[in-house]
């Protein structure tokens, strides 16, 4: 893995990733969802009523409608990442959470390429 692109919803990762950004190993988009405007932010915060006047008021029903969903902008981030890396990267791997990772007994740089990526290219 030569470079990582991080999409952050609220800017809380900035202190953690700043040294890697400065070293050129990470591209960081702080407050990614803020680029979509206040109306979209209100949906993300659960302040937007999906069905005005409906009885779907408890939190579980709101989640069932897709509102108040922190993953609401994942498709946009994935699409942006793919286009951002077009012509820059040989491979783009999407890892949705901090607890998802690539692993290889041979190490990340050589092992993942030999065991996974090269096999997919064949």
């Amino acid at each position: 893995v030569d470079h990582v692109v991080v999409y952050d919803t609220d800017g809380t990762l900035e202190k953690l990733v700043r040294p890697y950004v400065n070293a050129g190993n990470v591209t960081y988009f702080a407050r990614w969802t803020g680029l979509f405007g206040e109306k979209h932010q209100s949906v993300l915060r659960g302040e937007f009523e999906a069905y005005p006047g409906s009885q779907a008021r408890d939190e579980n029903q709101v989640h069932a409608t897709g509102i108040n969903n922190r993953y609401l902008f994942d498709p946009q981030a994935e699409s942006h990442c793919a286009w951002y890396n077009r012509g820059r990267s040989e491979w783009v791997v999407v890892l949705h959470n901090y607890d998802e990772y690539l692993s290889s007994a041979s190490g990340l740089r050589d092992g993942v390429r030999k065991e996974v990526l090269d096999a997919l290219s064949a």
Side-chain angles (χ1 to χ4, degrees):
V1 176
D2 297 317
H3 194 82
V4 175
V5 181
V6 177
Y7 293 85
D8 190 0
T9 58
D10 59 7
T12 55
L13 296 175
E14 187 158 4
K15 286 182 182 178
L16 178 69
V17 300
R18 181 58 47 205
Y20 303 102
V21 170
N22 293 342
N25 302 109
V26 170
T27 299
Y28 177 61
F29 293 96
R31 295 171 186 81
W32 162 253
T33 56
L35 298 174
F36 295 92
E38 182 55 35
K39 189 171 186 178
H40 290 90
Q41 287 291 91
S42 68
V43 171
L44 192 65
R45 291 188 304 263
E47 298 168 358
F48 177 79
E49 191 173 345
Y51 304 102
S54 73
Q55 299 301 314
R57 300 246 189 264
D58 78 68
E59 189 173 317
N60 291 328
Q61 288 177 318
V62 172
H63 281 286
T65 64
I67 305 302
N68 195 15
N69 185 344
R70 63 184 233 170
Y71 302 108
L72 186 64
F73 293 100
D74 277 6
Q76 289 83 359
E78 291 171 16
S79 179
H80 180 269
C81 186
W83 282 100
Y84 178 81
N85 284 287
R86 185 175 186 215
R88 298 178 188 194
S89 302
E90 187 176 347
W91 287 95
V92 174
V93 177
V94 176
L95 302 175
H96 291 276
N97 291 306
Y98 64 89
D99 61 348
E100 293 182 14
Y101 53 89
L102 295 173
S103 178
S104 168
S106 305
L108 280 179
R109 184 172 299 270
D110 296 323
V112 169
R113 176 173 295 280
K114 289 177 188 169
E115 296 172 18
V116 179
L117 301 179
D118 286 346
L120 291 172
S121 296

